[in-house]
Amino acid sequence: MSLSTQYSTGNYQRRIAVIKSQSIVEIRLSGQDIGEIAAVYPQISLSSCETASGRVTYGGRLVCTVVYADENAKLCRVQKGAEFSHFADDERLAPAQNSLCALSCERAQVKRDGSSYVVAVVVGAEISVFASAERNYLSALDGAILKRENAKLYTAVTFTGESEVEDDFDCSAEDVLVPAAEALVLDCNCRAGTVEVSGEIYLSLLAVRDGKPVSLDRIIPYKCEIACDDALLARKAVCRAEIKEISVNAKVNEEKGKCDVEVVARLGFAGTYYDEEEVSLITDAFSCGNGLQLTYAEEIASPCTEIKVYSERVSGLCATKAKLDYTCAFLAAALPRAEFARSSDGIEGSVSATLLYEQNGEMRSTEVNLPFAVSLAGLGEHCSDVAVAVCGVNLRQRAEGECEAEAVLKIAAAECESAGVRYLSDAAEGEELKTCDSAISVYIPSAGDDLWATAKKLLQSPEEIQATNPELAFPLTGRERILVYRPRNS
């Protein structure tokens, strides 16, 4: 026997690592005019992400807005930014790789340092790393009995882009102190040469009305197109949106007694989709005369099939850092955000917000936390990306010393399928097999054997097994008796 092999080769891109990292960025503020600090809002955006040998370096900009009461108890704000650059090490990293980085502000803490205040923010980074790999599979193997299957081969395609979203509206406020916002991607589709992204921005304004703080919420829908030269056919994509910059221009309309608000948000997008190619692959082989030394390759991809959107209302008692009683008059629940993790049937975590209240004629603030556990119907185990935004928080005192909260969560989850394929990448001829000389043999199979497993054990082609045993039904039960006929060689 002599084997003859033919190969098909090419390159594809795959995700090789997801690296998570934490670091601390500090911003120092002069405390000369700052009295009681009422709220702190950190906004972070990515500026760069590059891979080198064993290391990925990412950088961004942190902008902190601090709302405080001055010596006259008037609410004021100060804003300051800082550039930062951090890194994470991993032995799998190399210069030619492509990476997508998502940044988040995980915690913010304010501490006094002499005559200054220091805002320390814990910055979290989740970095997906993609690398090019060589694909080599057997396309033909003459001299052996083959098992062929039609399968899809995938290659990952990454894309990034930016877009501006504008909105204007009236609100019954005198001034806007802090615009806090989160952006969700609710749908993302590839078309020829472009990626279409649609979603919503959840805007929470900490504003002033009649000299007191109020919280105003607004949902801003958006649709954007991102150029992507590699996009050819219609594909569903996984995409994240970040607010790189947001500006709010508020003008008082004295005739109407309202405030005209103009919002301009610069959004950054980063995502992935999978191109697919359907091919006929050799997934197994055997020879009737010689053993075969087979080499297998395996690929795993996670193409997105659907983006599921949920809207959930959560409520209950919440924890507060300050002791609240009936002398406290609640004014505003500002700057809401959600921390969460996947659970077996949904997500669980907590909604946090800054409560501004008045007590004994003084303005005070405290952080409140509402724990939640939400079941999400139809959320599969291969959901690769979940994003949550808070659409407003309402607080009230249920009883003295007890604070009750209600919030609406908007949840976007990218449902993906686990697409794995295993195929032959090489084959070599082994030692000659010892064959049975009997004209007829009776074989007792194992329960669960399919036609290919049976043929491989009997060293006959599947067609021969079916021709000589037409009554067999696969998979086998183990109670069958299979006759093997061997023609006499003249």
Side-chain angles (χ1 to χ4, degrees), residues 43-46 61 63 79 162-165 179 181 201 242-248 263-268:
Q43 179 74 48
I44 197 166
S45 61
L46 180 72
R61 178 171 175 80
V63 177
Q79 190 176 75
E162 293 186 5
S163 184
E164 275 195 358
V165 178
I201 297 173
E242 72 163 357
I243 296 180
K244 302 186 79 69
E245 186 179 355
I246 186 167
S247 63
V248 175
V263 179
V264 179
R266 184 163 62 93
L267 302 182

Side-chain angles (χ1 to χ4, degrees), residues 99 376 403:
S99 56
L376 302 176
C403 182

Side-chain angles (χ1 to χ4, degrees), residues 1-4 141-145 286-292 428-430:
M1 169 193 167
S2 178
L3 287 179
S4 176
L141 181 61
D142 296 335
I145 296 173
F286 68 88
S287 168
C288 298
N290 292 72
L292 297 181
E429 189 175 340

Side-chain angles (χ1 to χ4, degrees), residues 423-479:
Y423 54 82
L424 279 179
S425 60
D426 202 3
E429 189 175 340
E431 296 181 356
E432 186 176 351
L433 298 174
K434 294 181 180 181
T435 58
C436 180
D437 296 332
S438 302
I440 299 176
S441 297
V442 178
Y443 171 68
I444 303 175
S446 301
D449 279 357
D450 61 8
L451 177 58
W452 175 258
T454 304
K456 194 172 182 180
K457 289 178 180 178
L458 300 181
L459 298 180
Q460 288 194 336
S461 70
E463 293 76 16
E464 289 177 300
I465 298 296
Q466 286 184 315
T468 54
N469 299 270
E471 74 285 355
L472 292 178
F474 296 93
L476 302 175
T477 65
R479 297 189 295 271

Side-chain angles (χ1 to χ4, degrees), residues 131-364:
S132 179
E134 186 179 80
R135 174 182 287 145
N136 184 76
Y137 61 90
L138 277 175
S139 57
L141 181 61
D142 296 335
I145 296 173
L146 308 179
K147 182 181 182 182
R148 282 189 177 272
E149 295 182 40
N150 289 329
K152 292 180 180 179
L153 297 177
Y154 293 91
T155 184
V157 181
T158 60
F159 59 89
T160 59
E162 293 186 5
S163 184
E164 275 195 358
V165 178
E166 298 180 0
D167 188 38
D168 59 86
F169 56 94
D170 295 336
C171 67
S172 55
E174 302 159 9
D175 191 16
V176 174
L177 295 173
V178 184
E182 292 184 78
L184 290 190
V185 173
L186 304 183
D187 201 11
C188 186
N189 297 281
C190 298
R191 300 287 185 263
T194 187
V195 178
E196 299 174 354
V197 186
S198 60
E200 292 175 340
I201 297 173
Y202 305 94
L203 182 66
S204 177
L205 299 179
L206 177 55
V208 177
R209 180 191 298 157
D210 298 328
K212 294 184 178 181
V214 292
S215 183
L216 306 173
D217 301 305
R218 184 172 177 84
I219 299 176
I220 305 172
Y222 68 85
K223 285 188 177 181
C224 305
E225 287 190 358
I226 302 170
C228 181
D229 295 337
D230 294 325
L232 298 175
L233 303 176
R235 293 285 184 270
K236 188 71 72 174
V238 177
C239 182
R240 289 187 180 183
E242 72 163 357
I243 296 180
K244 302 186 79 69
E245 186 179 355
I246 186 167
S247 63
V248 175
N249 184 23
K251 296 181 180 179
V252 177
N253 190 326
E254 296 181 356
E255 294 181 359
K256 295 182 179 180
K258 293 184 177 181
C259 184
D260 296 329
V261 179
E262 296 178 352
V263 179
V264 179
R266 184 163 62 93
L267 302 182
F269 300 99
T272 313
Y273 67 91
Y274 283 85
D275 270 339
E276 62 183 51
E277 176 188 7
E278 189 163 349
V279 297
S280 176
L281 295 174
I282 301 174
T283 57
D284 203 1
F286 68 88
S287 168
C288 298
N290 292 72
L292 297 181
Q293 298 176 356
L294 303 177
T295 303
Y296 294 89
E298 189 171 4
E299 296 180 20
I300 298 176
S302 53
C304 180
T305 57
E306 182 184 4
I307 297 180
K308 295 181 177 179
V309 179
Y310 304 85
S311 184
E312 299 288 336
R313 188 178 298 274
V314 296
S315 60
L317 292 176
C318 55
T320 63
K321 290 188 176 181
K323 186 177 180 180
L324 303 174
D325 54 33
Y326 282 144
T327 65
C328 303
F330 290 4
L331 300 175
L335 315 180
R337 60 187 300 268
E339 294 182 357
F340 67 95
R342 284 289 304 273
S343 61
S344 59
D345 61 348
I347 60 172
E348 57 185 22
S350 66
V351 174
S352 63
T354 299
L355 169 62
L356 288 89
Y357 62 98
E358 199 171 49
Q359 186 178 35
N360 300 325
E362 294 183 359
M363 184 79 66
R364 300 182 183 274

Side-chain angles (χ1 to χ4, degrees), residues 12-23:
Y12 72 105
Q13 186 167 252
R14 60 193 177 99
R15 184 167 63 183
I16 63 167
V18 177
I19 302 170
K20 295 185 178 181
S21 176
Q22 283 185 329
S23 55

